[in-house]
Each structure stands twice: as C-alpha cells, then as structure tokens.
Amino acid sequence: MLIAGNWKMFKTPSEAASFCRALRESIGDVGNVDVAVCPPYVALANAIAELAGSEISVYAQNVHWAENGAFTGEISTGMLAELGAAGSIVGHSERRQYFGETDETVAKRAKATIDAGMKVIACVGELESERDANETEAVLARQLAPIVSEIGVHERLVIAYEPVWAIGTGKTASPAQAEDAHAFIRSIIDVPILYGGSVKPDNAGELMSQPNVNGALVGGASLDVDSFVSLCAAAAVVA
Ligand code: PEP
C-alpha cells in the first residue's frame, strides 16, 4: 500500500526541510505502507536530503516528456533523476483544469518517466457533472486509453483515482463509490490504484480496506505532520 502526500503549491524549501525532519522522527513503524511526499520543485532537493536513508520517498508533482529543450517552466525526468526523486505525479486534475493538460500529454509524461527508470502516479477522475450524467466509466476509460497504449501494465506505474468533486472539497467518495471506480479501472489496467479526494485520518481506514484500493493520494491532510502520520498509521492497520 502506498500513501503519497501531494503538497501542491505549499511549503517553501525550509518549510519542507523541517516537515521532513519531523516526519522522519514521528512516522514510526507503518508495516506494509510505503510513504511518499510530493513537494513543489524548489523544495525537492531539501526533502530528498532530509529523507535520505529513510524509507520515505520523494516524488515531483509533474514532469515533462522531453529530455531537454525550449519548454520554459518545465522540468525533465533527467533533472528529477539527478536530484534523487523516486518519480512523479502526472495528470493531476488541477493540471488538467488549469494548465491545459490532456489525456495524451499525461500519457507522454507518464511514459517518459517510466522510460527514465522512475515511478509514476498517473491521476484520473471525473467531474461532478460527469458523475451526475452517469459518464464516470466513460471518462475513466477515455483518460486511461493513452496510458494503456503508451505503457500498459508496468511495475513502476500506479494509477490514482481522484474524483474531481472530492478534491479539496471535504466531500469524500463513499467506500463503495471508490471501490466501484477502482474495480472498473482495474478491469482496464491491473496496477496498484490509489484513491484521492479528501482522505483524512478518520476515513482512511475504511477507504483503504476496500479490496481494489491500494493506497491514497492525499492533499490537505498531508500538509500537517501529525495528520499525515495518523493517516499513514490508519492505513497500516488495514494494509
Ligand atoms: C490531491 O491533491 O490529490 C487531493 C486528493 O487533495 P485533498 O486530499 O485535499 O482532497
């Protein structure tokens, strides 16, 4: 089971360093749970340095598919690898909503990361209007198609199911809704599938105990050390 904290655009390099020091001291034994943090680019080096030699890995929040080139504002897999990042999130709904990310560019980013020998957490998920229109499965199938054709099942590929209506809203998918979506995703691509969307220490246990839920991608509740540690401990109970 993987619990990954997506910090979004929170924490400066020095804040990241103190968070990682505190996390390392307080995480304790989380058994079968793999723990990862995903700081902003500028805080990656500090997080990696503070967590060196621990079991906690560090991922970026996005990565470009080209090795280098005229892509202002982007970062390549080689740059992340040299820093010691374990991998990257790609296709977060905020990237899709605000930065023009498409199903195809998400798959290109994911493929380049796998090809560079790193791990990928590729995000998919429907809008509330799409769920209301009974389009959830069609949307997931459309988002997954280029990932399946570019990569397919791979040991370093993880999918995160993040219903957009549950991200940062406090509205969590019910365990049954999450399980249904995860089972559908698994019927398309059988890799570990994380749930994301308002996961907190008090709902993590029930969500993580669904048969097709293999971990969580956590936003808000990953920004506070105590809350993130409690959430990882709750997952460890059912892992
Ligand atoms: C996320 O950012 O991926 C996320 C799921 O956010 P939150 O946990 O705050 O809903």
Side-chain angles (χ1 to χ4, degrees):
M1 179 167 299
L2 171 65
I3 305 291
N6 172 21
W7 296 359
K8 313 193 187 203
M9 198 172 72
F10 291 98
K11 299 194 192 296
T12 64
S14 62
E15 289 166 348
S18 18
F19 179 100
C20 290
R21 262 196 305 278
L23 177 63
R24 189 176 182 153
E25 278 163 20
S26 54
I27 189 79
D29 179 8
V30 285
N32 290 332
V33 175
D34 292 325
V35 178
V37 293
C38 313
Y41 286 137
V42 294
L44 283 172
N46 280 14
I48 290 165
E50 292 295 341
L51 295 170
S54 79
E55 301 275 298
I56 304 167
S57 35
V58 180
Y59 285 60
Q61 298 174 14
N62 188 28
V63 64
H64 197 264
W65 55 86
E67 263 179 51
N68 47 47
F71 301 108
T72 302
E74 293 282 335
I75 296 286
S76 73
T77 56
M79 294 170 185
L80 293 183
E82 187 174 316
L83 274 187
S88 185
I89 299 172
V90 298
H92 191 280
S93 67
E94 288 149 18
R95 303 278 336 152
R96 294 175 186 261
Q97 273 184 291
Y98 308 133
F99 301 103
E101 201 74 71
T102 66
D103 300 336
E104 286 67 35
T105 56
V106 171
K108 284 171 81 167
R109 293 178 195 275
K111 168 92 164 73
T113 312
I114 295 279
D115 288 349
M118 295 194 288
K119 299 178 189 170
V120 174
I121 301 172
C123 304
V124 295
E126 80 287 1
L127 302 171
E128 188 154 40
S129 56
E130 293 167 335
R131 174 163 284 267
D132 292 344
N134 282 323
E135 290 167 4
T136 299
E137 293 192 349
V139 169
L140 296 176
R142 189 203 74 217
Q143 292 174 332
L144 288 167
I147 296 173
V148 171
S149 63
E150 289 267 351
I151 305 170
V153 172
H154 194 285
E155 61 183 6
R156 291 194 302 278
L157 174 64
V158 168
I159 301 294
Y161 169 61
E162 299 209 308
V164 180
W165 48 272
I167 297 181
T169 58
K171 278 199 219 172
T172 315
S174 68
Q177 283 173 321
E179 173 58 19
D180 283 352
H182 283 227
F184 177 72
I185 292 169
R186 194 174 306 288
S187 73
I188 296 177
I189 185 162
D190 190 3
V191 295
I193 307 164
L194 313 183
Y195 169 77
S198 300
V199 180
K200 309 281 177 220
D202 60 358
N203 62 20
E206 201 184 354
L207 284 161
M208 296 306 107
S209 50
Q210 302 305 307
N212 282 294
V213 176
N214 309 118
L217 184 55
V218 185
S222 75
L223 292 171
D224 173 80
V225 176
D226 292 342
S227 130
F228 191 52
V229 167
S230 321
L231 201 156
C232 293
V237 172
V238 297

